[in-house]
């Protein structure tokens, strides 16, 4: 089964390069605490993960490069995400699920939230694969990817929820690996979907397939 194979390969990848992911996770935590740098910190972590999948060598310099190069575009994405979350959560609280219209509106806002989470899941993996990087094009391609891989995407989101729950039960996990694990699932998932669609960069050194 594809999703089980993907989870197994992700776990092996994490084990193979665990040392770099622990240090990258520490940087991600430190920069996320500052809040304003949180979106760029996630971008930096995601870029490092992408390069970890597609290159033979990766260092923390890749994190900083992604952080600096994508700071403003990541901040814009963070602002858009905040607006989307506020609008959807406000509407969920405002529309009581009473009657057909109320139930439909609740489903609408829940689906919108789920779709946005899916878009954010694949965003940076797709962004790095674009010949001409564009946030809007990455949004569109991520949306198409969700439509083409609905069960795969939902399965990853469920796994992410389980990791988050485990992280709240075991707080040290946040400091050591949580961010890296989430990024591996998102970026690795994007690369897997691209390969399934036949879009494989021949220059990539894909550890997901070799380890």
């Amino acid at each position: 089964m594809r999703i089980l194979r993907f989870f197994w390969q992700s776990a092996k990848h994490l084990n193979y390069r665990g040392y770099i992911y622990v240090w990258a996770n520490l940087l991600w935590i430190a920069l996320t605490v500052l809040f304003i740098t949180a979106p760029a910190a996630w971008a930096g972590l995601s870029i490092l993960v992408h390069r970890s999948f597609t290159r033979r060598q990766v260092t923390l310099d890749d994190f900083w490069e992604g952080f600096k190069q994508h700071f403003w575009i990541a901040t814009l994405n963070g602002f858009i995400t905040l607006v989307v979350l506020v609008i959807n959560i406000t509407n969920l609280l405002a529309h009581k699920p009473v009657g057909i219209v109320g139930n439909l509106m609740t489903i609408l806002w829940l689906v919108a939230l789920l779709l946005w989470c899916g878009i954010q899941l694949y965003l940076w993996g797709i962004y790095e694969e674009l010949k001409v990087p564009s946030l809007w094009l990455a949004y569109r391609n991520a949306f198409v990817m969700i439509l083409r891989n609905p069960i795969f995407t939902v399965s990853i989101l469920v796994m992410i929820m389980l990791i988050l729950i485990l992280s709240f039960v075991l707080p040290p996990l946040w400091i050591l690996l949580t961010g890296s694990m989430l990024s591996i699932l998102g970026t690795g998932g994007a690369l897997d979907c691209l390969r399934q669609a036949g879009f494989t960069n021949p220059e990539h050194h894909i550890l997901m397939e070799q380890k």
Side-chain angles (χ1 to χ4, degrees):
M1 186 177 180
R2 176 188 171 192
I3 188 63
L4 293 178
R5 183 178 66 252
F6 170 72
F7 286 152
W8 176 242
Q9 290 175 334
S10 297
K12 290 196 296 182
H13 177 78
L14 177 64
N15 179 66
Y16 179 70
R17 284 190 164 163
Y19 71 97
I20 194 71
Y21 285 138
V22 170
W23 287 109
N25 198 85
L26 289 170
L27 286 175
W28 171 68
I29 284 289
L31 292 168
T32 298
V33 169
L34 300 176
F35 187 72
I36 190 65
T37 56
W42 180 252
L45 180 60
S46 298
I47 298 319
L48 180 143
V49 171
H50 179 274
R51 294 179 182 180
S52 181
F53 277 133
T54 59
R55 298 183 181 182
R56 294 181 181 275
Q57 300 296 329
V58 64
T59 69
L60 289 179
D61 289 339
D62 294 292
F63 178 100
W64 289 116
E65 185 177 339
F67 177 86
K68 291 183 290 184
Q69 287 187 354
H70 303 309
F71 182 88
W72 293 112
I73 198 72
T75 301
L76 174 60
N77 176 60
F79 176 75
I80 294 173
T81 297
L82 181 62
V83 171
V84 170
L85 291 177
V86 169
I87 290 175
N88 280 273
I89 292 175
T90 299
N91 281 299
L92 279 170
L93 295 175
H95 290 85
K96 296 183 179 180
V98 178
I100 296 178
V101 175
N103 288 324
L104 286 176
M105 293 302 296
T106 298
I107 293 173
L108 174 64
W109 298 120
L110 286 173
V111 170
L113 274 176
L114 185 62
L115 284 173
W116 190 254
C117 288
I119 288 173
Q120 292 303 307
L121 177 72
Y122 295 139
L123 179 65
W124 291 108
I126 293 176
Y127 188 87
E128 282 297 284
E129 291 294 307
L130 294 174
K131 292 183 178 179
V132 180
S134 164
L135 182 61
W136 312 112
L137 188 57
Y139 283 160
R140 189 197 71 179
N141 289 355
F143 179 71
V144 172
M145 189 174 291
I146 293 169
L147 296 182
R148 292 173 62 100
N149 303 271
I151 296 177
F152 182 77
T153 302
V154 171
S155 297
I156 294 179
L157 290 175
V158 169
M159 178 59 72
I160 285 175
M161 287 301 299
L162 293 176
I163 292 173
L164 290 175
I165 292 172
L166 181 61
S167 297
F168 280 110
V169 175
L170 301 172
L173 195 59
W174 283 105
I175 299 174
L176 296 175
L177 281 175
T178 296
S180 293
M181 288 192 293
L182 301 185
S183 187
I184 286 172
L185 290 175
T187 303
L191 291 172
D192 187 87
C193 288
L194 288 171
R195 289 197 296 275
Q196 289 290 321
F199 299 104
T200 303
N201 189 332
E203 297 181 357
H204 282 178
H205 176 70
I206 303 294
L207 291 176
M208 286 282 284
E209 295 176 346
Q210 296 186 9
K211 298 303 297 181

